Amino acid sequence: MIVAGIDIGSKNIQVVVLEDGTVAARVSVASGFEQEESARKGIEEAAAAAGVTPADIEYIVATGVGRKAVAFTQHQVTEVAADAKGAFALNPAARTVIDVGADEARAIRIDATGKVIDFAVNEKCAAGAGAFVEAMSRALEVSLRRFGEISLESTESIPMNAQCTVFAESEVVSLIHSNTAQKDIAKAVHDAMAGRVSAMARRAGLENEVVIGGGVAHNVGFVRALKDTLGVGDLHVLPEPEYTGAFGAALIAAQKVAEGVPALNPQA
Amino acid sequence: MPEETKEFWRWSEKVWRDESIDWRGSRAITAGIDVGSVSSQAVILADGRLYAYHSTRTGSNSPDSARKALNGAMAGADMSQEDIRYVVGTGYGRVNVPFANRAITEIACHARGANYMVGPSVKTILDMGGQDCKVIRCDEKGKVQNFIMNDKCAAGTGRGMEVIADALGVPIEDIGRRSFEIDEEPPPVSNVCTVFAKSEATGLLKAGWSVNRVLASYCAAMAERVSSLIERMSVEPDFFITGGIAKNEGVVRRIERIIGIEAVRLPADTVLDPQIAGALGAALFAHALLKKEQKASAQA
């Protein structure tokens, strides 16, 4: 049985192909302006990577902000449902799932069976998402990867006043002018964002183990800052964190096929 | 020579002086300086009458920006700083005006300045500056009764408009006019956050929207955002708008449509600029404070 999950985000599209319950391929493509076309491309590339054709994929479940913009999938689930499913499968001890992407962030609390109890979402403000750190690394002219790494070298705690990404850019520029070390600015930026993500996570409720997915989980500076801010045991980074949602969607697809649920979009 | 990059987002600098006044004949020369996050203004009064003003950009250093604004207002008048008897600083950088006798909040100064510009009938003031947006209620003397502000989020502040001006390469002065050069009013940009709205705006261009239509959509979104702040305070006419945004009819007229109240416009031949309201209010406070000091020393 071959199924796929596709997570259609505002910046990137992730596809996970499962063959008899095992990951056969993971592919990421840019969303671009033609989501439908990019999504098709994602499926084609993922099928090729799995050594099959798109027609071999029995069932596709879409998630992500653009899930409704794509006509060829059989079923759609919310990002919360997909994330919870994916994270719980990857780590059954997970009770709080934090997912931070480029343009949005979520925190989901799940029970011992993986069922969603509560969640909180930020999709309105760039300051609580990856876009914040991205904009600040640009202002410092440091690559995003390096920006996260150098923040680990800092032991300073410089509070940032600005809560808005646009205002924070000016604040970072004035920190540069006042000769603040890059590593200290980087830490200040990650701490500020961690504060906002942590406030959101608290709204959903914190319970160990806390796991983090989404592309921003690759940022070591942010993960440390969030771990320090949350103050709950450990913060476990999920494997291939940006694929959490797509993986969850693929698992739901496999479940649908196993249950013999007919496709919602039979024309596909 | 490196080519100068064009800055679409700033309002042009401005100098004005009343040539009919000979300041040497006045007893009290006072000044108000408003050091804002984006632009700085200086207003000079001669015996309480508007004599000169200058609007300039704020640099990275507040004292320098304050000095630059004042020097600009004094330029050509053969006036030096010693001739100014009392200076009040206001705005975001007010505590960094080294030669100011006093610092007064921009809330008080904008109310006072608006009262001078419009008259005692002005009751509600919307001041939209570079990095914040305030709604101020005042009495017939221009005294503040209440205010609310947003200084946390760039959406609904001048900065939000600057980001779009820069992204679309449209000078900020032209945005209002161009936002009406459309066939039909488009829906407002759906994202509130300036960062996301900027991506949305470029996406709309890619989807075939004209620049003017995107500007209309963005002005409408900003008007919605600002109106929600205004509506948290009951608006009593006369309603007056100060700060850079007052000069953007694209936002002003859309705010009027939403709240159903027309803002007071200054006469077409006015020498006043809504952007100097804060500095003007500060200069009026300086004049009053100087009078008080003079009276006190005369009695002593």
Side-chain angles (χ1 to χ4, degrees):
Chain A
M1 173 179 60
I2 299 168
V3 294
I6 181 165
D7 180 357
I8 304 161
S10 51
K11 284 234 166 71
N12 293 299
I13 294 175
Q14 272 88 25
V15 183
V16 169
V17 176
L18 289 183
E19 194 168 352
D20 299 327
T22 314
V23 175
R26 281 187 204 93
V27 161
S28 180
V29 295
S31 303
F33 288 98
E34 292 297 333
Q35 278 181 331
E36 174 102 32
E37 211 180 289
S38 308
R40 268 184 207 285
K41 191 174 145 228
I43 293 288
E44 280 164 20
E45 284 185 17
V52 298
T53 67
D56 296 328
I57 301 173
E58 268 182 70
Y59 204 96
I60 304 175
V61 170
T63 187
V65 66
R67 65 183 180 273
K68 287 177 186 145
V70 175
F72 65 81
T73 64
Q74 278 87 5
H75 188 65
Q76 293 98 37
V77 295
T78 64
E79 295 97 311
V80 170
D83 264 348
K85 189 83 183 171
F88 185 73
L90 292 166
N91 181 350
R95 293 298 173 269
T96 304
V97 181
I98 298 172
D99 184 312
V100 186
D103 283 358
E104 75 264 299
R106 282 178 289 285
I108 308 155
R109 198 148 53 85
I110 53 178
D111 68 13
T113 66
K115 196 171 147 261
V116 175
I117 302 172
D118 203 357
F119 67 92
V121 183
N122 164 38
E123 48 189 16
K124 297 247 182 287
C125 171
F132 181 76
V133 173
E134 238 174 83
M136 301 311 127
S137 71
R138 234 183 353 251
L140 270 179
E141 295 174 344
V142 175
S143 77
L144 195 51
R145 171 186 284 273
R146 181 94 192 105
F147 194 60
E149 286 166 358
I150 57 173
S151 79
L152 294 180
E153 295 162 17
S154 168
T155 49
E156 293 289 314
S157 283
I158 305 168
M160 286 196 67
N161 298 315
Q163 292 179 29
C164 166
T165 307
V166 175
F167 293 162
E169 271 180 68
S170 324
E171 196 172 337
V172 163
V173 170
S174 36
L175 286 172
I176 297 170
H177 284 308
S178 63
N179 292 322
T180 312
Q182 271 191 353
K183 58 177 185 181
D184 297 335
I185 300 178
K187 181 164 179 289
V189 166
H190 289 104
D191 286 347
M193 185 176 147
R196 283 183 285 272
V197 172
S198 156
M200 178 194 67
R202 278 172 212 289
R203 289 207 308 276
L206 285 174
E207 196 182 325
N208 279 322
E209 293 185 355
V210 183
V211 301
I212 180 164
V216 180
H218 282 299
N219 180 329
V220 290
F222 173 71
V223 170
R224 183 193 67 174
L226 185 61
K227 189 181 145 203
D228 292 349
T229 315
L230 288 172
V232 286
D234 215 353
L235 177 62
H236 304 267
V237 178
L238 293 169
E240 312 288 343
E242 69 272 42
Y243 291 97
T244 310
F247 178 56
L251 290 173
I252 294 170
Q255 215 174 321
K256 294 276 174 198
V257 173
E259 288 165 4
V261 176
L264 288 186
N265 293 331
Q267 80 273 14
Chain B
M1 275 285 286
E3 206 177 304
E4 203 187 329
T5 46
K6 186 158 169 53
E7 287 179 311
F8 294 103
W9 54 278
R10 293 193 198 252
W11 292 96
S12 348
E13 304 205 341
K14 194 168 175 183
V15 190
W16 175 86
R17 195 168 59 248
D18 186 345
E19 303 288 355
S20 71
I21 295 178
D22 179 12
W23 64 268
R24 282 169 225 278
S26 350
R27 292 184 59 237
I29 302 285
T30 57
I33 298 173
D34 182 355
V35 182
S37 55
V38 175
S39 67
S40 298
Q41 289 83 26
V43 169
I44 301 174
L45 302 181
D47 289 330
R49 275 179 62 199
L50 182 63
Y51 171 61
Y53 67 80
H54 178 49
S55 179
T56 183
R57 53 194 53 181
T58 300
S60 55
N61 173 308
S62 296
D64 287 351
S65 305
R67 222 168 271 126
K68 195 172 139 210
L70 187 59
N71 287 343
M74 294 189 303
D78 195 26
M79 186 189 276
S80 74
Q81 215 172 289
E82 289 77 61
D83 298 313
I84 302 173
R85 304 282 300 280
Y86 206 103
V87 177
V88 167
T90 189
Y92 172 83
R94 64 180 176 273
V95 292
N96 280 317
V97 182
F99 47 89
N101 301 73
R102 238 177 112 165
I104 296 177
T105 71
E106 64 267 33
I107 316 273
C109 289
H110 271 274
R112 186 72 178 257
N115 178 272
Y116 180 97
M117 285 183 173
V118 180
S121 61
V122 66
K123 297 279 162 35
T124 312
I125 299 141
L126 168 69
D127 170 44
M128 200 158 144
Q131 282 201 8
D132 62 18
C133 183
K134 319 173 192 73
V135 184
I136 307 163
R137 286 289 303 270
C138 68
D139 67 13
E140 68 291 344
K141 289 189 177 116
K143 200 165 162 256
V144 176
Q145 291 177 315
N146 198 3
F147 76 95
I148 45 172
M149 74 188 292
N150 160 38
D151 59 353
K152 299 267 181 278
C153 169
T157 74
R159 189 78 194 96
M161 194 51 87
E162 292 160 13
V163 167
I164 294 303
D166 229 24
L168 301 186
V170 178
I172 202 145
E173 273 106 335
D174 298 343
I175 288 181
R177 175 182 54 79
R178 291 188 57 176
S179 78
F180 292 114
E181 292 170 2
I182 44 165
D183 300 329
E184 188 193 5
E185 183 79 8
V189 168
S190 61
N191 279 294
V192 170
C193 175
T194 304
V195 175
F196 297 160
K198 185 180 156 187
S199 322
E200 188 177 341
T202 42
L204 291 171
L205 284 180
K206 288 239 161 97
W209 284 37
S210 68
V211 170
N212 292 356
R213 191 167 152 89
V214 175
L215 290 173
S217 175
Y218 193 75
C219 286
M222 181 159 284
E224 274 189 356
R225 178 91 174 147
V226 175
S227 296
S228 69
L229 188 73
I230 299 171
E231 281 167 346
R232 275 168 50 198
M233 192 94 112
S234 60
V235 181
E236 197 186 321
D238 288 351
F239 171 53
F240 186 57
I241 305 179
T242 65
I245 205 73
K247 297 190 275 189
N248 183 335
E249 279 286 313
V251 176
V252 171
R253 271 157 62 185
R254 289 179 175 92
I255 290 174
E256 291 173 327
R257 258 183 235 164
I258 297 170
I259 66 169
I261 293 173
E262 240 177 83
V264 175
R265 303 291 200 283
L266 295 172
D269 61 348
T270 185
V271 299
L272 298 168
D273 179 329
Q275 217 174 349
I276 66 157
L280 175 60
L284 290 164
F285 276 121
H287 181 74
L289 289 162
L290 177 64
K291 284 267 165 223
K292 213 164 136 189
E293 267 188 13
Q294 285 173 338
K295 209 168 144 192
S297 61
Q299 281 169 349

